[in-house]
Amino acid sequence: MEIDLLIKNVRVHDDKPLVDIAIHDGKIVAIETGINTKTHETIDAQGRAAIPGFVEPHLHIDKAFLHRRLPAVQGTLEEAIRVTGILKGKQQRQDVLGRSRRVLDMAVKNGTIAIRAHPDVDLIQGLIGVETLLELKEEYQNLLDIQIVAFPQEGIIKSAGTLELMEEAMGMGADVVGGCPYNEVSWTDTQRHIDMVFTMAQKHDAHIDMHADFADDTSDHRFAAAAYIAQKTMDTHYEGRVSLGHVTSLGALDPDEAKPVIELLRQAQINIITLPATDLYLGGRKDTKNQRRGLTPVRSLTQAGVNVAYSSNNIRNAFTPFGKADPLVIGNMLAHVIQFGTLDNQAAILRMGTQNAAKAMGIEKAYGLEVGKQADLVILDTFEVADALLDIPPRSWVIKRGKITVVTHYSCEIHHHHQGGKQ
Ligand SMILES: [Zn+2]
């Protein structure tokens, strides 16, 4: 028999010899040395490193690339919501599609094979984010998988009519129920918001993905909802199906206060998505000295056994003026900020942008660089897996469901001009 694709001479484990990867019918069928099967197509990786394709479990596509339209000046969360709210009121379909494609093309080129997108669902922009993403999900289906979250950025109780719009979004084909419980006027409403999200998710048998506890501290209870959400998750038997983005205020607690919350998150099998680009940019704005890093306590969460992933969140808008949808860039930044420098820590960061992120999206069963898994992988222009995070190398080949989707030709010559003793 003839297989579809054979990748020769590829580095999968730094401490083992180079291997060949045989791919057929969109799946990895063998990883061995010296595979000689007849093949339709061959890649000679020449010793380059391969890793599973990247996963972005938290990305806002509908409001990307708005950074020069109404630039933010203060750099606070409140300003970002306000400025973006003004622009959201003017969203035009073709414009949203154009900016969204720009993000998705970047993601594909960077080796991302799955995205969970969080389009705003509210009375300001209506369902345009969901509609455009449903279209793009089809358009990009051979390049990456897209999950759509019905995300109520403006609150649910605070913004009457939003719950109905979210229900409509779920009916249209959104996959995941979103939430933004901090954006309500009281702790009582925050709890009601969370309860409504769970009710809707149960109705549709859908996963839940909320923006939660996005503040510098927990003094305002609306930004200390993690324990409540964890308890609710267990009460509704939703273990493993809930992800929370940001959760930065947890990092401000003393270890003995944080510990019981982290233990609840572990028991409820909640996935925590840290969003360093945004959290670093918007956090700690009132600190006049010793400005905090303001991330969720990744080290404590990881040590406790909580699944932690990271993602880009926003690409060039008032929430995050930078970004190019490159998980290696975000991972490298995260490693610095949380001081994950040992070899084990560096490997852990790479897992947070791949396996852990896949788990957060609920796609881990078919995911990974192993026989029997879906052939979604990226071959990097570097020769050790451990150098991925350090080199941030070009993505030489990206493979989605066994098909080559990206080939990057990169060559650079260094000319040494010896000056022959001249000063
Ligand atoms: Zn977000």
Side-chain angles (χ1 to χ4, degrees):
M1 90 168 229
E2 186 185 70
I3 58 160
D4 294 335
L5 176 64
L6 180 61
I7 305 168
K8 302 284 290 176
N9 308 312
V10 67
R11 175 74 66 200
V12 174
H13 296 289
D14 288 343
D15 51 357
K16 289 183 190 164
L18 297 180
V19 291
D20 300 340
I21 302 175
I23 292 166
H24 193 67
D25 262 349
K27 285 189 174 167
I28 298 171
V29 293
I31 303 179
E32 291 160 27
T33 51
I35 297 176
N36 285 314
T37 318
K38 227 179 137 207
T39 177
H40 178 69
E41 199 168 12
T42 308
I43 290 172
D44 186 355
Q46 295 181 309
R48 288 180 178 82
I51 58 173
F54 294 109
V55 176
E56 287 264 25
H58 187 128
L59 200 55
H60 298 275
I61 289 171
D62 53 320
K63 48 189 186 187
F65 292 106
L66 291 172
H67 58 306
R68 297 205 180 105
R69 302 208 181 164
L70 190 60
V73 287
Q74 292 157 347
T76 62
L77 175 61
E78 303 75 52
E79 184 195 37
I81 293 179
R82 183 169 48 78
V83 165
T84 309
I86 295 167
L87 293 168
K88 277 200 302 188
K90 303 173 187 163
Q91 291 275 54
Q92 298 286 329
R93 186 187 158 72
Q94 284 310 321
D95 180 57
V96 176
L97 283 170
R99 287 182 288 102
S100 300
R101 287 193 186 102
R102 208 172 150 192
V103 179
L104 293 173
D105 289 349
M106 282 178 161
V108 169
K109 285 181 200 168
N110 288 326
T112 295
I113 54 86
I115 285 175
R116 181 176 273 183
H118 293 245
D120 288 22
V121 170
D122 53 47
L123 301 176
I124 305 171
Q125 75 165 20
L127 291 166
I128 191 168
V130 174
E131 287 161 1
T132 47
L133 266 159
L134 283 166
E135 188 175 327
L136 294 165
K137 186 174 177 166
E138 287 281 309
E139 189 178 318
Y140 280 78
Q141 61 178 320
N142 296 325
L143 300 170
L144 43 74
D145 300 314
I146 300 175
Q147 288 182 356
I148 302 171
V149 184
F151 170 51
Q153 168 83 81
E154 310 294 329
I156 296 177
I157 295 142
K158 194 173 142 188
S159 170
T162 300
L163 193 68
E164 290 73 13
L165 273 178
M166 289 170 71
E167 188 61 59
E168 209 180 323
M170 294 305 292
M172 286 163 62
D175 307 277
V176 178
V177 180
C180 196
Y182 63 76
N183 200 357
E184 296 291 356
V185 296
S186 67
W187 169 234
T188 310
D189 283 359
T190 290
Q191 291 171 86
R192 284 180 61 207
H193 179 123
I194 294 163
D195 295 349
M196 286 170 170
V197 167
F198 273 87
T199 303
M200 189 178 292
Q202 286 176 297
K203 182 183 164 191
H204 294 275
D205 191 23
H207 280 231
I208 291 171
D209 197 327
M210 289 190 270
H211 288 58
D213 296 358
F214 187 18
D216 289 339
D217 60 60
T218 56
S219 56
D220 182 332
H221 210 149
R222 294 175 299 159
F223 299 92
Y228 183 84
I229 294 167
Q231 194 56 56
K232 184 86 191 173
T233 300
M234 291 187 279
D235 292 346
T236 53
H237 309 293
Y238 244 64
E239 287 93 342
R241 303 183 73 189
V242 178
S243 294
L244 300 180
H246 298 296
V247 199
T248 54
S249 46
L250 183 60
L253 293 177
D254 288 330
D256 58 328
E257 293 172 301
K259 207 175 169 193
V261 182
I262 291 171
E263 179 52 23
L264 276 173
L265 292 170
R266 186 196 65 78
Q267 282 173 23
Q269 297 167 43
I270 288 180
N271 307 291
I272 300 293
I273 319 293
T274 186
L275 305 161
T278 307
D279 297 345
L280 285 165
Y281 184 69
L282 296 179
R285 285 282 174 167
K286 286 179 187 145
D287 296 343
T288 53
K289 60 173 188 176
N290 287 339
Q291 196 175 20
R292 75 194 82 193
R293 298 172 188 222
L295 262 57
T296 199
V298 175
R299 192 180 293 274
S300 311
L301 286 162
T302 305
Q303 281 170 354
V306 176
N307 183 50
V308 180
Y310 68 78
S311 201
S312 291
N313 194 30
N314 281 288
I315 308 291
R316 306 185 201 185
N317 62 20
F319 295 88
T320 316
F322 312 110
K324 54 177 210 161
D326 187 344
L328 283 179
V329 170
I330 302 293
N332 182 290
M333 169 164 48
L334 177 64
H336 285 83
V337 176
I338 63 173
Q339 300 175 323
F340 263 38
T342 67
L343 296 181
D344 283 351
N345 282 169
Q346 291 184 28
I349 296 272
L350 207 52
R351 281 197 301 276
M352 287 180 210
T354 52
Q355 277 97 345
N356 297 11
K359 191 174 178 198
M361 277 184 65
I363 58 168
E364 73 275 20
K365 267 191 191 143
Y367 181 89
L369 207 43
E370 291 166 36
V371 173
K373 305 284 186 177
Q374 190 163 286
D376 291 355
L377 55 120
V378 50
I379 302 167
L380 304 160
D381 193 17
T382 194
F383 298 89
E384 287 187 52
V385 175
D387 279 334
L389 199 66
L390 286 67
D391 287 344
I392 313 182
R395 319 302 130 99
S396 298
W397 290 273
V398 180
I399 291 147
K400 175 66 184 168
R401 273 190 285 274
K403 297 261 185 340
I404 300 169
T405 52
V406 175
V407 182
T408 308
H409 298 286
Y410 173 83
S411 82
C412 170
E413 292 174 39
I414 300 174
H415 296 265
H416 289 276
H417 296 288
H418 295 286
Q419 301 274 317
K422 269 188 253 167
Q423 292 289 319

